[in-house]
Amino acid sequence: MRSPGPSRTLNATMRVGNKDMEQRKISWAEPYKIKMVELIAMTTREQREAALVEAGYNTFLLPSEKVYIDLLTDSGTSAMSDRQWAGMMMGDEAYAGSRNFYHLEKAIQDTYGYKYIVPTHQGRGAENILSQIMIKKGQFVPGNMYFTTTRLHQELAGGTFVDIIIDEAHDPNNTFAFKGNVDLNKLQVLIDKHGADKIAYVSIATTVNMAGGQPVSMANLKELRALCTKHGISIIHDMTRVAENAYMIQQLEPGHADRSVQDIVKEICSLTDGATMSAKKDALVNIGGFLAVNDWDVFEEARNMVVVYEGLHTYGGLAGRDMEAMAIGIGESVQEDHIRARVGQVFYLGKKLLDAGIPIVKPVGTHGVFLDAKAFLPHLKQTAFPAQVLAAELYLESGVRAMERGIVSAGRNKDTGDHYYPELELVRLTIPRRAYTQAHMDVVAESVERVYERRKSITGLKMVYEPKYLRFFQARFERLPA
Ligand code: F0G
């Protein structure tokens, strides 16, 4: 039942200009110019070594002032446009009924097509509310791979997450174009075994962060919709990077080349029943999120619950000015020049690393390049935290900050208490939107290459402090002896 789709060779996707520019071999540059700059610090190796020890070899615990190029995350780290900043000045900070809320509501309805919206301070605020409303204790929540906060909220609400992503997603060397796709057979097996009533909803992310930023195809979403409708199961969409996913459909899926990204985004959303959004990614804001649904009853409950956890339903933990910046950012996120440059910059870095023979997840994802730590450091066992140590070594090398996405991020199985052992043991070089230039990407690629040259001398880590929830944020490590 796998949807047909192209395999993606990397070179075919390294497009940063539009087709016309490509045919005429015209150079490409960022579709914006810089109006304000933020100075960043260079550090010495000694300073970085001290900072790493202080941070327990966890890049989350490094002060950002000691970071040169910050690729920890693309979340809340983007540069806002002059229009967004102008919108910030138009904040209506009324407790109830802020004009910016109505603007945001309209932007979401127009761009995504969902009917009812509830703002939240960020994505996980929406996940908390929606999970509590839609999951009954003992139910399953199948999804196309997990995301850390999403799965935790599903579990805290009494649900059990089941991974139904296609097997290709777990193989960093498989170049299938749409590795975010759902394996419909896996979903069917779950339905047959437990019954549709035991399934709270299907949780679908566009794109799939933990798989390396891999997109879902439209054909797969349509098949999923049909199967879920047949069994009366809802689909909840983690739409955090939906514009990036739509761009990949436009570029690679047959039949979509002449459609706008906006049009594809709307169709993706129309195939789902509701969504949670971290607006800190696609929507180009430093803080914000929302949940959006088409079902009035779910909306009513969410609108009531948001008051308990976030704030009144017309601000959801945000200032009026934040909602205005989000409304404007949503519009900018689906502009063709923007999305092409955004994904194009990630591909530029990916191509540099591939050309240098560095093991990365293939195909290159849309929001970052993911180093394959198992292949980079094959001499380390997974319990020596290869991705964690690789992120630390990259910081030590050059002050570039990346993030572990492997065994530490995966956490522990709540029933057995043992680690989850994910197939993918990755270091994520996540690219903020509109914040860095191609020159920064060159520096990053060279830094990774230098670490690769001395990879054989790198030893593992042991965990010396482990928090109970989302341990990767605050866990501490020490170096194992050589
Ligand atoms: N879903 C996905 C796919 C995400 O990538 C994130 C956050 C969330 C939900 C939660 O949203 O942070 O606004 O509460 N991802 C960030 C990252 C943290 O670095 O990938 P949030």
Side-chain angles (χ1 to χ4, degrees), residues 60 72-75 121-125 127 147-150 205-210 238 240-241 276-281 288-289 367 403 405 428 430 473:
F60 277 104
L72 186 74
T73 177
D74 64 330
S75 182
H121 78 285
Q122 58 185 76
R124 69 198 71 181
E127 289 167 356
F147 183 71
T148 54
T149 58
T150 320
T206 54
T207 57
V208 182
N209 190 353
M210 300 302 275
D238 179 343
T240 295
R241 298 179 183 84
T276 55
M277 173 64 156
S278 171
K280 300 169 73 173
K281 284 82 166 176
H367 69 300
M403 183 196 289
R405 291 275 85 151
R428 189 181 72 172
T430 342
F473 285 127

